Amino acid sequence: MPRIAGVDIPEKKKVLFSLQYIHGIGPKVAASILAKTGIDGDRRTHTLTPDELTSISKEIDERYVVEGALRRQVQQDIQRLKDIHCYRGERHRKGLPARGQRTRTNARTRKGRKKTVAGKKGVKG
Amino acid sequence: MSRSLKKGPFVDEKLYRKVEKSQSSARRTPIKTWRRACTVVPEFVGATFQVHNGRGFTEVFITEDMVGHKLGEFAPTRVFKGHTNKKEGIDGGTKAPA
């Protein structure tokens, strides 16, 4: 199995889709990498020649931030918000949505599983 | 939606002049302001503001990282002291028990 951008090992899928297994590469970036390197995205990944693989990894290395570096960058951005004690940073610290969404209901992605409070309006028992 | 680039950042002019004046003087006293919507520009770095939060003033020392944010982002307007504990009934609840 081919390796691109460090640990990622896409597989028998079409190149356009196997590239998207790399963190930081979605449909758009995958398509633009293939356009730039002149590789047909409908080909299966195992049919790529070593030369084509290197040209893809080179393209990624040069123009995109992916995987560990990207995760680190995102963490740093969040850490910066926390360090300057701004509103968004505090929301991150509290584990609540940071973009002005309502929290009276929903917001479960950030808040996690529901914690039922006994005696609260709308909850029976 | 983000602000049009054509307009540039919103910086309150009066406040900006005040900052300039205090930056040139040796003794820097905190600048009291109600302009929460004013963007922090690089010239503000090192200044101390007292930003109004609707009730009192929150002291904000401007560092380089804060550039691009609004003054109001550093002066929270809400105080959350946690939910009341129904079983105990204390914990500073403001609403009368149902």
Side-chain angles (χ1 to χ4, degrees), chain A residues 26-70:
Chain A
K28 275 271 191 185
V29 175
S32 82
I33 289 170
L34 292 169
K36 190 87 187 291
T37 52
I39 295 167
D40 181 9
D42 284 334
R43 283 171 55 199
R44 302 282 160 176
T45 308
H46 60 83
T47 66
L48 289 177
T49 65
D51 274 358
E52 287 170 326
L53 283 173
T54 27
S55 72
I56 290 176
S57 2
K58 222 182 113 198
E59 173 72 6
I60 292 173
D61 280 351
E62 277 170 10
R63 303 191 41 210
Y64 301 100
V65 184
V66 291
E67 284 299 327
L70 178 62

Side-chain angles (χ1 to χ4, degrees), chain B:
Chain B
M1 194 201 280
S2 48
R3 184 180 167 89
S4 158
L5 284 175
K6 177 186 84 181
K7 298 181 184 177
F10 170 74
V11 183
D12 188 63
E13 240 160 78
K14 216 168 155 187
L15 186 63
Y16 184 84
R17 268 183 270 129
K18 233 177 188 172
V19 175
E20 266 188 335
K21 222 168 87 186
S22 88
Q23 297 281 48
S24 54
S25 67
R27 276 200 55 77
R28 284 186 194 169
T29 47
I31 300 164
K32 261 193 188 185
T33 183
W34 281 257
R35 283 283 180 266
R36 298 171 53 85
C38 178
T39 309
V40 174
V41 289
E43 288 87 334
F44 287 8
V45 173
T48 308
F49 289 96
Q50 287 180 325
V51 183
H52 198 68
N53 61 16
R55 189 190 208 180
F57 292 90
T58 309
E59 194 123 321
V60 179
F61 175 75
I62 303 297
T63 60
E64 219 169 295
D65 273 345
M66 295 180 180
V67 171
H69 290 259
K70 308 272 180 161
L71 284 178
E73 290 183 57
F74 307 106
T77 57
R78 285 159 204 234
V79 190
F80 177 66
K81 293 211 167 126
H83 292 295
T84 45
N85 190 334
K86 254 276 160 75
K87 258 182 206 151
E88 325 247 317
I90 34 173
D91 213 353
T94 47
K95 273 183 200 161

